[in-house]
């Protein structure tokens, strides 16, 4: 009875965490092109075939680029669609891992439940949101991970006979190639397969096949155009520095999980100086050596599918972190905070997931260790909850920040202060944004940029509705572009029927001509508190009035697919700067 209660409690915790992870990702995922994707998309738009084949930053994005080009060609570069695809890959990866867990007949049902808690918690933790909340990034890393997991599952299918069918070998090699040519870390699949194959006593023919496939993958990678990874003389580091960075990358998940319990923001300086990741990283190295080396030396991997998949996850991500240390040496010289960058937790968290699963399999056979280990691991959803929730709030903030920059592009103004958040090179953004506008891609797909300069009646088709619009809108500052008159940056808040946020505000001049657009861009806690809105609801707006004239009286109305609101809000004019006298 006690064991069944424990199983039910752990299952409920896992289900609740899974639901929260999906909800938080849906609320906080990025909806527009961001970061390096401005460069990658620009290259893909103008040179599609070369983009598929060319390495970028030492990575081959062969399969992700095919996904991006398909999205650009048929779906208007829909970032929501890419997010859903990445989320689907994430879910499929978890399902494949869970199938391996539940098909293992060597462990108890309680062990399977605890292992499921580990898989769900690590896979859907918002600690990985730097990757999982950005569709194109998730369509890079998740195929690499899923390919590796499928390859490991094929190898685990050898079972006690230690023989792989021809179809299992073919699928394993295909999955390995998908992993390798989705992201650089995916090349860790080949040494991992060799380690597992050797430890599982696969035939020499099977091992030679894996080795040959890995060599072919490396040769193809080297043939592809683009720079291969290399370490310049000036970037060379000592063994101790490399080991410390390796430990820091491995232990970063514990740094953020532990610090989140203080409920205070973790500064970059504090993260860099902390010894928490180094200590946990060193412990992780010791644990993986203790778990893997005896198996390798004795060539005895056992019959447990859970153990094989657990070791595969651990070793794969262990090697992937090694690739990061070697490949990102120059970046870590330029910015010491790179060694604790949250985006690397996509890989390091899986390293710990593998170790935790090894621990589950080990403890299930040890009466004295069973309940201490199971109880601790079943509490993972609670232990990581503060970081999970805080990162969800961060993801929503970043989403709004990116939407703000996209709003300036939709309005056709040069607000560099906002645009630089999208990518560090505004010139690349403005150049590609022109192509986006012409082809109606991404933030221009809805066509609302074409409203500017047209009459409200023409845009709305004469459809007006009453929404009891409330709010406060004002011109905050002037934005000056290199060419043309200044634009007015408009900020404020708006709410319909005391509980709904308009999709957008249309800014009108006295003649009823649309002269700008505003979109939700900020979470206004004062407004949300007064109107009982959700904590993550954006009630603050950002917009622009093109060709702003301080003598003109502008108004704002709500607009969606059903037309414009009858109610309007006055736009307070820009206040003159106080005199120095």
């Amino acid at each position: 009875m006690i064991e069944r209660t424990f199983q039910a409690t752990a299952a409920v915790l896992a289900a609740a965490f899974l639901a929260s992870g999906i909800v938080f990702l849906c609320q906080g995922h990025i909806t527009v092109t961001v970061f390096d994707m401005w460069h990658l998309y620009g290259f893909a738009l103008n040179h599609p075939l070369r983009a598929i084949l060319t390495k970028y930053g030492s990575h081959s994005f062969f399969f992700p680029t095919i996904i991006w080009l398909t999205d650009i060609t048929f779906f208007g570069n829909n970032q929501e669609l890419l997010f859903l695809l990445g989320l689907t890959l994430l879910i499929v990866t978890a399902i494949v891992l869970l199938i391996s867990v539940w098909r293992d007949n060597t462990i108890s049902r309680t062990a399977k439940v605890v292992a499921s808690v580990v898989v769900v918690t690590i896979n859907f933790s918002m600690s990985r949101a730097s990757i999982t909340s950005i569709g194109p990034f998730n369509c890079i890393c998740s195929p690499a991970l899923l390919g590796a997991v499928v390859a490991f599952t094929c190898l685990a299918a050898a079972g006690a006979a230690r023989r792989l069918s021809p179809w299992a070998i073919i699928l394993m090699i295909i999955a390995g190639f998908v992993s390798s040519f989705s992201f650089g870390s995916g090349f860790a699949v080949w040494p991992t397969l060799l380690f597992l194959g050797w430890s599982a006593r696969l035939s020499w023919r099977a091992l030679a096949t894996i080795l040959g496939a890995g060599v072919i993958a490396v040769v193809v990678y080297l043939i592809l155009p683009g720079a291969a990874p290399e370490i310049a003389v000036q970037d060379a580091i000592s063994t101790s520095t490399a080991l410390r960075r390796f430990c820091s990358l491995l232990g970063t998940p514990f740094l953020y999980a532990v610090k989140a319990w203080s409920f205070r923001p973790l500064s970059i300086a504090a993260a860099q100086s902390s010894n928490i990741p180094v200590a946990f990283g060193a412990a992780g190295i010791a644990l993986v050596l203790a778990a893997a080396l005896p198996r390798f030396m004795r060539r005895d991997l056992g019959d447990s599918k859970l153990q094989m998949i657990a070791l595969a996850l651990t070793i794969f991500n262990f090697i992937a972190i090694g690739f990061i240390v070697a490949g990102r040496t120059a970046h870590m010289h330029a910015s010491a905070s790179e060694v604790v960058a949250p985006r690397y937790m996509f890989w390091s968290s899986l390293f710990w997931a593998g170790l935790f699963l090894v621990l589950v399999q080990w403890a299930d056979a040890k009466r004295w260790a069973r309940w201490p280990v199971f109880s601790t691991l079943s509490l993972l959803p609670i232990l990581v909850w503060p970081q999970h929730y805080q990162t969800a709030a961060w993801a929503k903030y970043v989403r709004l920040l990116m939407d703000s920059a996209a709003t300036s592009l939709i309005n056709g103004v040069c607000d560099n202060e906002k645009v630089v958040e999208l990518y560090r090179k505004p010139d690349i953004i403005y150049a590609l944004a022109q192509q986006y506008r012409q082809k109606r891609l991404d933030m221009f797909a809805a066509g609302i940029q074409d409203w500017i300069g047209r009459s409200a009646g023409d845009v709305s088709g004469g459809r007006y509705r009453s929404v009891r619009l409330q709010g406060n809108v004002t011109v905050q500052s002037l934005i000056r572009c290199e060419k043309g008159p200044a634009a007015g940056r408009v900020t404020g808040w708006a709410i319909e029927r005391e509980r709904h946020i308009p999709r957008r505000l249309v800014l009108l001049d006295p003649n009823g001509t649309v002269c700008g657009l505003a979109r939700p861009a900020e979470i206004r806690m004062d407004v949300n508190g007064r109107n009982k809105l959700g904590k993550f609801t954006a009630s603050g707006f950002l917009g622009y009035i093109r060709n702003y004239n301080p003598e003109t009286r502008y108004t704002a109305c709500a607009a969606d697919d059903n037309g414009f609101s009858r109610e309007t809000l006055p736009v307070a004019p820009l206040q003159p700067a106080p005199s120095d006298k």
Side-chain angles (χ1 to χ4, degrees):
M1 182 64 182
I2 294 176
E3 190 154 355
R4 287 185 180 180
T5 302
F6 175 84
Q7 293 172 2
T9 303
V12 168
L13 282 175
F17 194 89
L18 171 63
S20 70
I22 293 176
V23 168
F24 287 158
L25 280 173
C26 289
Q27 288 183 333
H29 69 277
I30 304 300
T31 60
V32 296
T33 300
V34 293
F35 310 141
D36 284 5
M37 295 313 301
W38 283 97
H39 178 91
L40 290 166
Y41 278 153
F43 190 50
L45 269 173
N46 298 301
H47 310 283
L49 183 58
R50 285 178 58 194
I52 292 173
L53 298 176
T54 302
K55 297 190 287 284
Y56 176 79
S58 301
H59 300 283
S60 171
F61 296 139
F62 181 88
F63 292 103
T65 304
I66 292 175
I67 295 173
W68 304 333
L69 286 171
T70 302
D71 182 38
I72 289 170
T73 304
F74 299 105
F75 303 102
N77 200 30
N78 190 324
Q79 300 299 294
E80 298 272 8
L81 187 62
L82 288 180
F83 164 73
L84 291 175
L85 176 58
L87 180 61
T88 301
L89 292 171
L90 205 65
I91 292 171
V92 171
T93 301
I95 290 173
V96 173
L97 290 173
L98 290 173
I99 289 174
S100 297
V101 168
W102 285 89
R103 291 184 64 186
D104 189 343
N105 297 321
T106 68
I107 58 174
S108 67
R109 179 180 294 273
T110 302
K112 293 176 182 179
V113 171
V114 175
S116 300
V117 173
V118 171
V119 170
V120 168
T121 304
I122 299 299
N123 250 287
F124 296 96
S125 169
M126 287 299 289
S127 65
R128 307 167 80 209
S130 296
I131 299 296
T132 56
S133 67
I134 303 175
F137 287 3
N138 207 11
C139 288
I140 292 173
C141 295
S142 283
L145 175 61
L146 179 58
V149 169
V150 169
F152 303 147
T153 303
C154 289
L155 195 146
R162 305 308 182 204
R163 290 181 181 178
L164 286 172
S165 70
W167 289 110
I169 292 176
I170 291 171
L171 180 57
M172 180 176 65
I173 291 173
I174 291 173
F177 270 83
V178 170
S179 182
S180 301
F181 293 97
S182 292
F183 192 61
S185 298
F187 275 92
V189 71
W190 304 109
T192 305
L193 286 173
L194 285 172
F195 177 92
L196 294 174
W198 170 268
S199 302
R201 292 183 179 270
L202 289 185
S203 67
W204 288 105
R205 180 179 296 178
L207 291 174
T209 301
I210 295 171
L211 177 61
V215 170
I216 291 172
V218 171
V219 170
V220 171
Y221 170 82
L222 294 174
I223 292 174
L224 293 177
E230 60 178 65
I231 301 177
V233 175
Q234 63 270 22
D235 294 325
I237 55 177
S238 65
T239 304
S240 60
T241 299
L243 183 60
R244 182 177 179 84
R245 287 180 179 176
F246 190 87
C247 290
S248 293
L249 285 166
L250 282 182
T252 296
F254 288 90
L255 168 68
Y256 288 98
V258 170
K259 292 297 184 181
W261 279 93
S262 68
F263 299 98
R264 296 176 183 175
L266 179 63
S267 67
I268 294 176
Q272 287 178 238
S273 62
S274 175
N275 288 318
I276 291 176
V278 178
F280 277 98
I285 292 174
L287 288 172
V288 72
L289 291 177
L293 277 184
R295 300 292 182 185
F296 183 81
M297 299 299 292
R298 296 198 303 264
R299 299 193 69 187
D300 177 21
L301 205 53
D303 297 327
S304 171
K305 287 185 172 62
L306 172 62
Q307 179 175 250
M308 180 175 283
I309 293 297
L311 281 174
L313 271 181
T314 304
I315 296 166
F316 174 79
N317 288 284
F318 186 85
I319 297 171
I321 293 296
F323 287 170
I324 292 170
V325 172
R328 304 291 291 180
T329 298
H331 295 274
M332 291 179 184
H333 276 336
S335 175
S337 61
E338 273 279 295
V339 295
V340 289
R343 64 181 176 278
Y344 298 129
M345 285 197 286
F346 184 90
W347 308 104
S348 57
S349 60
L350 289 167
F351 167 82
W352 289 100
L355 277 182
F356 292 158
L357 293 177
V358 170
L359 194 59
V360 169
Q361 193 273 339
W362 172 81
D364 193 43
K366 303 288 189 294
R367 195 164 190 172
W368 60 271
R370 194 168 186 261
W371 285 111
V373 170
F374 285 3
S375 299
T376 302
L377 292 180
S378 67
L379 291 176
L380 266 181
I382 295 174
L383 295 174
V384 303
W385 178 259
Q387 182 200 6
H388 184 61
Y389 182 82
Q390 291 168 32
T391 309
W394 167 85
K396 181 65 174 181
Y397 168 75
V398 172
R399 169 176 173 157
L400 294 174
L401 202 62
M402 301 307 164
D403 285 348
S404 298
T407 298
S408 72
L409 296 176
I410 291 171
N411 280 278
V413 301
C414 306
D415 192 348
N416 286 344
E417 181 184 331
K418 299 293 183 181
V419 167
V420 76
E421 300 290 349
L422 288 173
Y423 190 48
R424 61 186 179 276
K425 299 177 180 178
D427 290 346
I428 290 178
I429 293 176
Y430 291 132
L432 185 56
Q434 289 184 354
Q435 288 186 273
Y436 273 11
R437 187 183 291 269
Q438 292 168 1
K439 297 177 181 291
R440 290 182 175 272
L441 301 176
D442 207 312
M443 69 280 294
F444 299 102
I448 61 174
Q449 67 276 1
D450 297 332
W451 294 3
I452 301 174
R454 297 168 58 190
S455 70
D458 183 25
V459 172
S460 67
R463 292 174 298 169
Y464 292 90
R465 57 194 178 86
S466 178
V467 297
R468 299 204 302 269
L469 184 66
Q470 304 174 58
N472 186 301
V473 185
T474 184
V475 178
Q476 179 196 57
S477 59
L478 290 181
I479 305 299
R480 298 191 181 276
C481 301
E482 292 182 5
K483 299 178 181 179
R489 182 195 285 168
V490 176
T491 59
W493 63 275
I495 188 170
E496 299 175 353
R497 302 183 187 278
E498 300 183 347
R499 60 190 307 176
H500 297 296
I501 304 301
R503 288 185 62 183
R504 64 185 69 90
L505 297 178
V506 173
L507 305 171
L508 307 169
D509 68 11
N511 298 320
T513 301
V514 178
C515 52
L517 304 162
R519 301 197 303 167
E522 181 187 2
I523 298 173
R524 290 282 298 267
M525 296 309 298
D526 55 335
V527 175
N528 294 7
R530 289 198 304 270
N531 295 278
K532 298 181 180 180
L533 297 173
K535 287 185 177 181
F536 290 165
T537 302
S539 54
F541 280 73
L542 170 74
Y544 299 86
I545 296 175
R546 291 221 303 235
N547 304 327
Y548 177 69
N549 182 354
E551 302 299 324
T552 302
R553 293 294 175 257
Y554 300 93
T555 57
C557 68
D560 61 18
D561 295 336
N562 296 318
F564 288 11
S565 65
R566 296 186 185 279
E567 300 86 352
T568 61
L569 301 172
V571 179
L574 176 67
Q575 297 299 314
S579 173
D580 293 335
K581 295 182 180 179

